[in-house]
PDB file of all heavy atoms in Angstrom:
ATOM      1  N   THR A 475       3.896  23.537   2.470  1.00  0.00           N
ATOM      2  CA  THR A 475       3.115  22.284   2.720  1.00  0.00           C
ATOM      3  C   THR A 475       4.146  21.118   2.428  1.00  0.00           C
ATOM      4  O   THR A 475       4.705  21.043   1.298  1.00  0.00           O
ATOM      5  CB  THR A 475       1.841  22.173   1.827  1.00  0.00           C
ATOM      6  OG1 THR A 475       0.960  23.235   2.242  1.00  0.00           O
ATOM      7  CG2 THR A 475       1.255  20.867   1.931  1.00  0.00           C
ATOM      8  N   GLY A 476       4.287  20.296   3.423  1.00  0.00           N
ATOM      9  CA  GLY A 476       5.082  19.055   3.154  1.00  0.00           C
ATOM     10  C   GLY A 476       4.387  17.856   2.696  1.00  0.00           C
ATOM     11  O   GLY A 476       3.114  17.699   2.972  1.00  0.00           O
ATOM     12  N   PHE A 477       5.023  17.088   1.867  1.00  0.00           N
ATOM     13  CA  PHE A 477       4.372  15.883   1.480  1.00  0.00           C
ATOM     14  C   PHE A 477       5.437  14.721   1.558  1.00  0.00           C
ATOM     15  O   PHE A 477       6.591  14.928   1.444  1.00  0.00           O
ATOM     16  CB  PHE A 477       3.894  15.929  -0.047  1.00  0.00           C
ATOM     17  CG  PHE A 477       4.893  15.983  -1.028  1.00  0.00           C
ATOM     18  CD1 PHE A 477       5.368  14.705  -1.635  1.00  0.00           C
ATOM     19  CD2 PHE A 477       5.233  17.237  -1.451  1.00  0.00           C
ATOM     20  CE1 PHE A 477       6.308  14.893  -2.641  1.00  0.00           C
ATOM     21  CE2 PHE A 477       6.282  17.250  -2.486  1.00  0.00           C
ATOM     22  CZ  PHE A 477       6.732  16.126  -3.096  1.00  0.00           C
ATOM     23  N   GLY A 478       4.865  13.458   1.822  1.00  0.00           N
ATOM     24  CA  GLY A 478       5.827  12.273   1.873  1.00  0.00           C
ATOM     25  C   GLY A 478       4.978  11.131   1.470  1.00  0.00           C
ATOM     26  O   GLY A 478       3.819  10.854   1.782  1.00  0.00           O
ATOM     27  N   VAL A 479       5.692  10.232   0.701  1.00  0.00           N
ATOM     28  CA  VAL A 479       5.173   9.052   0.221  1.00  0.00           C
ATOM     29  C   VAL A 479       5.848   7.816   0.620  1.00  0.00           C
ATOM     30  O   VAL A 479       7.086   7.840   0.394  1.00  0.00           O
ATOM     31  CB  VAL A 479       4.914   9.012  -1.357  1.00  0.00           C
ATOM     32  CG1 VAL A 479       4.209   7.803  -1.911  1.00  0.00           C
ATOM     33  CG2 VAL A 479       4.335  10.338  -1.869  1.00  0.00           C
ATOM     34  N   ILE A 480       5.235   6.976   1.226  1.00  0.00           N
ATOM     35  CA  ILE A 480       5.900   5.733   1.723  1.00  0.00           C
ATOM     36  C   ILE A 480       5.184   4.477   1.187  1.00  0.00           C
ATOM     37  O   ILE A 480       3.962   4.654   0.777  1.00  0.00           O
ATOM     38  CB  ILE A 480       5.938   5.615   3.228  1.00  0.00           C
ATOM     39  CG1 ILE A 480       4.671   5.554   3.908  1.00  0.00           C
ATOM     40  CG2 ILE A 480       6.818   6.811   3.703  1.00  0.00           C
ATOM     41  CD1 ILE A 480       4.693   5.329   5.368  1.00  0.00           C
ATOM     42  N   HIS A 481       5.760   3.340   1.160  1.00  0.00           N
ATOM     43  CA  HIS A 481       5.145   2.069   0.841  1.00  0.00           C
ATOM     44  C   HIS A 481       5.251   1.165   2.081  1.00  0.00           C
ATOM     45  O   HIS A 481       6.209   1.102   2.784  1.00  0.00           O
ATOM     46  CB  HIS A 481       5.888   1.412  -0.241  1.00  0.00           C
ATOM     47  CG  HIS A 481       5.316   0.148  -0.784  1.00  0.00           C
ATOM     48  ND1 HIS A 481       5.788  -1.090  -0.417  1.00  0.00           N
ATOM     49  CD2 HIS A 481       4.167  -0.048  -1.626  1.00  0.00           C
ATOM     50  CE1 HIS A 481       5.083  -2.044  -1.058  1.00  0.00           C
ATOM     51  NE2 HIS A 481       4.137  -1.327  -1.791  1.00  0.00           N
ATOM     52  N   LYS A 482       3.874   0.573   2.333  1.00  0.00           N
ATOM     53  CA  LYS A 482       3.873  -0.368   3.451  1.00  0.00           C
ATOM     54  C   LYS A 482       3.617  -1.798   2.865  1.00  0.00           C
ATOM     55  O   LYS A 482       2.640  -1.944   2.144  1.00  0.00           O
ATOM     56  CB  LYS A 482       2.778   0.118   4.401  1.00  0.00           C
ATOM     57  CG  LYS A 482       2.520  -0.863   5.449  1.00  0.00           C
ATOM     58  CD  LYS A 482       1.343  -0.492   6.388  1.00  0.00           C
ATOM     59  CE  LYS A 482       1.128  -1.535   7.412  1.00  0.00           C
ATOM     60  NZ  LYS A 482      -0.113  -1.391   8.152  1.00  0.00           N
ATOM     61  N   GLN A 483       4.422  -2.569   3.275  1.00  0.00           N
ATOM     62  CA  GLN A 483       4.271  -4.107   2.813  1.00  0.00           C
ATOM     63  C   GLN A 483       4.320  -4.946   4.132  1.00  0.00           C
ATOM     64  O   GLN A 483       5.505  -5.082   4.647  1.00  0.00           O
ATOM     65  CB  GLN A 483       5.127  -4.495   1.808  1.00  0.00           C
ATOM     66  CG  GLN A 483       4.953  -5.818   1.264  1.00  0.00           C
ATOM     67  CD  GLN A 483       5.686  -6.209  -0.042  1.00  0.00           C
ATOM     68  OE1 GLN A 483       6.523  -5.516  -0.445  1.00  0.00           O
ATOM     69  NE2 GLN A 483       5.377  -7.437  -0.607  1.00  0.00           N
ATOM     70  N   GLY A 484       3.212  -5.425   4.706  1.00  0.00           N
ATOM     71  CA  GLY A 484       3.335  -6.179   5.858  1.00  0.00           C
ATOM     72  C   GLY A 484       3.666  -5.056   7.017  1.00  0.00           C
ATOM     73  O   GLY A 484       3.011  -4.053   7.150  1.00  0.00           O
ATOM     74  N   ASN A 485       4.768  -5.329   7.722  1.00  0.00           N
ATOM     75  CA  ASN A 485       5.187  -4.388   8.800  1.00  0.00           C
ATOM     76  C   ASN A 485       6.404  -3.615   8.271  1.00  0.00           C
ATOM     77  O   ASN A 485       7.051  -2.883   9.031  1.00  0.00           O
ATOM     78  CB  ASN A 485       5.614  -5.154   9.969  1.00  0.00           C
ATOM     79  CG  ASN A 485       4.390  -5.742  10.790  1.00  0.00           C
ATOM     80  OD1 ASN A 485       3.422  -5.178  10.755  1.00  0.00           O
ATOM     81  ND2 ASN A 485       4.660  -6.842  11.487  1.00  0.00           N
ATOM     82  N   LYS A 486       6.773  -3.817   6.995  1.00  0.00           N
ATOM     83  CA  LYS A 486       7.993  -3.118   6.461  1.00  0.00           C
ATOM     84  C   LYS A 486       7.543  -1.810   5.773  1.00  0.00           C
ATOM     85  O   LYS A 486       6.637  -1.718   4.936  1.00  0.00           O
ATOM     86  CB  LYS A 486       8.757  -3.917   5.448  1.00  0.00           C
ATOM     87  CG  LYS A 486       9.947  -3.313   4.936  1.00  0.00           C
ATOM     88  CD  LYS A 486      10.675  -4.374   4.053  1.00  0.00           C
ATOM     89  CE  LYS A 486      11.937  -3.957   3.348  1.00  0.00           C
ATOM     90  NZ  LYS A 486      12.312  -2.639   3.174  1.00  0.00           N
TER      91      LYS A 486
END
Side-chain angles (χ1 to χ4, degrees):
T475 292
F477 70 89
V479 185
I480 64 171
H481 184 258
K482 178 185 179 192
Q483 186 169 5
N485 289 330
K486 185 177 182 334

